[in-house]
Amino acid sequence: MFAGYLALVTAALFTGAAFYVSFAEQPARPGLNDHALLAQWKPAYKRGFAMQAPLAVTGFVLGIVAWRLTGGVMFLIGGALLLANWPWTIFGIMPTNKVLLATELEAASSQSRALIVKWNRLHSVRTVLGCLAILAFLIAL
């Protein structure tokens, strides 16, 4: 059962980070000019990815371990919901990320601003997936 609790904690950490980005950090960004907005987004994205990606994988692995130890299918579902962030990021968010990362700071414009707003809507799905994973782990426990 310990693996299940660790999976829940990992899902909560992942979801908390995703929630913070979507509902605290991102809403503060539009107050910046286009150049500063893009300049802030680029390193924040890289740090966030470096933190959230391993949490999603770790939560998935812990969910699998908990499922194997207990047979509770909700652990498997919770882990799968966390892992679903990877394909969502690759296929849903990455096209926008690539354009933003390739945009030189000097070329920041209303177009890059619109892409960052779009990016936040896409990123919010990660918060939803994390919340659903937390719910699955809670049900399993």
Side-chain angles (χ1 to χ4, degrees), residues 28-92:
R29 287 180 178 149
L32 301 171
N33 65 46
D34 294 339
H35 179 270
L37 176 65
L38 185 60
Q40 193 280 336
W41 180 86
K42 284 185 175 196
Y45 164 74
K46 290 177 182 176
R47 286 187 209 111
F49 179 81
M51 178 183 57
Q52 283 191 294
L55 285 171
V57 171
T58 301
F60 169 71
V61 170
L62 289 167
I64 295 295
V65 169
W67 167 68
R68 296 279 309 221
L69 293 173
T70 67
V73 73
M74 292 308 286
F75 285 122
L76 186 62
I77 291 170
L81 286 164
L82 284 176
L83 191 64
N85 282 283
W86 275 77
W88 172 246
T89 298
I90 292 167
F91 299 111

Side-chain angles (χ1 to χ4, degrees), residues 12 16 21 24 29 32 44 52 73 75 86 90 94 96 100 109-111 113 116 123-124 130 136 139:
V21 167
R29 287 180 178 149
L32 301 171
Q52 283 191 294
V73 73
F75 285 122
W86 275 77
I90 292 167
M94 194 60 69
T96 302
L100 287 168
S109 65
S110 60
Q111 183 180 5
R113 176 177 292 276
I116 290 174
H123 187 270
S124 295
I139 291 169

